[in-house]
Amino acid sequence: MEIQGLPGRLLAELGPAIASGELPEGAVLRAEELEERFGVSRTVVREAVRILEGMRLVASRRRVGITVQPRSDWDVFDPLVIRWRLAGADRSAQLRSLGSLRLAVEPAAAALAARHATDDERRRLSALAVELTMTARAADLATFLRHDIEFHSTVLRASRNEMFAHLGDTVGAVLTGRTEYHLMPHQPEPYAIRLHREVAEAVCAGESERAEQAMRTIVEGALTELNQQLG
């Protein structure tokens, strides 16, 4: 999710500052100070604060101000919160946390997708597996990332579990973070591409156990690589 215009510019300053701890829990911001510091109107400040409140990063109260909330209150599944955390010193912990979430969810989602995917979803997964193979060989990481995000999001959606499906943006954020912060190999590993093809084939064949195991191996491999790179 991208926030456009002046509210987006203000969020691009405040969000990372809160996520990194530069603006710590309990810090109080004043609307008038934000207007003066960033040269924006009261309306822009209100819109930016409204969005931050939706993420539970801040709470705004009359005669108190805009107060940064405890980390335990944050909406840690929000893609912008994830992005801001990845941009700061919290990156390693955030990537490991997201990797563990994927390991808990994605294999189960693949098993369900083998039972419940529509014909269109099965065809799309097969097509994406081919596209992943081609872009990996070409070392086109930007296109590979788009295909990879769509592949995993399609599996989550095809599970027909609305809770799993809602995690598509979250998984997309961790895949994007691995690429943006150079935690992906220059050319995706052939074994990982083969496993994506296996997930697609298993889902198309309705083979739940095979789909679950292939996806588990993908996510376990990604988490192992991540831990090795982060040290």
Side-chain angles (χ1 to χ4, degrees):
M1 177 181 67
E2 294 287 348
I3 309 299
Q4 303 297 324
L6 291 175
R9 286 172 49 194
L10 184 54
L11 282 173
E13 295 285 343
L14 295 178
I18 295 170
S20 68
E22 179 185 340
L23 287 173
E25 173 188 340
V28 177
L29 309 173
R30 306 289 179 187
E32 56 273 16
E33 293 173 358
L34 293 175
E35 292 173 48
E36 183 177 350
R37 177 181 171 188
F38 294 102
V40 295
S41 68
R42 179 64 59 93
T43 300
V44 168
V45 170
R46 283 176 178 163
E47 176 63 15
V49 169
R50 183 187 65 77
I51 294 169
L52 291 172
E53 284 185 300
M55 300 172 181
R56 301 197 295 275
L57 297 184
V58 303
S60 180
R61 294 182 179 85
R62 281 179 137 188
R63 292 190 287 276
V64 174
I66 304 154
T67 306
V68 176
Q69 297 301 287
R71 186 178 298 261
S72 58
D73 289 351
W74 297 357
D75 179 3
V76 293
F77 293 105
D78 188 287
L80 274 179
V81 175
I82 291 171
R83 184 184 305 176
W84 293 334
R85 292 180 69 189
L86 288 175
D90 200 24
R91 182 182 306 152
S92 295
Q94 172 74 127
L95 284 168
R96 287 190 173 102
S97 177
L98 288 166
S100 297
L101 175 68
R102 293 185 64 197
L103 186 56
V105 169
E106 290 199 71
L112 288 169
R115 300 189 192 108
H116 302 301
T118 65
D119 289 343
D120 284 346
E121 287 166 338
R122 295 177 201 274
R123 282 191 290 269
R124 187 56 187 150
L125 283 175
S126 294
L128 285 166
V130 172
E131 290 168 354
L132 284 169
T133 301
M134 294 172 62
T135 52
R137 287 174 181 165
D140 181 357
L141 287 186
T143 307
F144 180 89
L145 174 62
R146 290 199 300 273
H147 292 156
D148 200 22
I149 290 172
E150 186 180 352
F151 185 94
H152 288 274
S153 296
T154 300
V155 170
L156 289 165
R157 191 167 55 251
S159 73
R160 303 275 86 83
N161 180 306
E162 71 279 7
M163 304 296 287
F164 289 176
H166 192 67
L167 293 174
D169 287 344
T170 301
V171 172
V174 68
L175 294 172
T176 300
R178 289 181 62 204
T179 298
E180 287 183 348
Y181 296 105
H182 309 292
L183 297 171
M184 282 282 289
H186 175 67
Q187 189 163 12
E189 297 289 349
Y191 84 90
I193 306 307
R194 175 180 56 78
L195 286 165
H196 281 73
R197 289 199 301 268
E198 186 165 349
V199 169
E201 291 168 3
V203 169
C204 288
E207 298 175 1
S208 295
E209 290 185 11
R210 181 183 169 205
E212 179 176 4
Q213 185 54 54
M215 183 63 84
R216 185 176 303 282
T217 305
I218 289 172
V219 183
E220 284 178 342
L223 191 54
T224 297
E225 289 175 5
L226 182 65
N227 284 328
Q228 289 172 344
Q229 290 163 334
L230 294 175

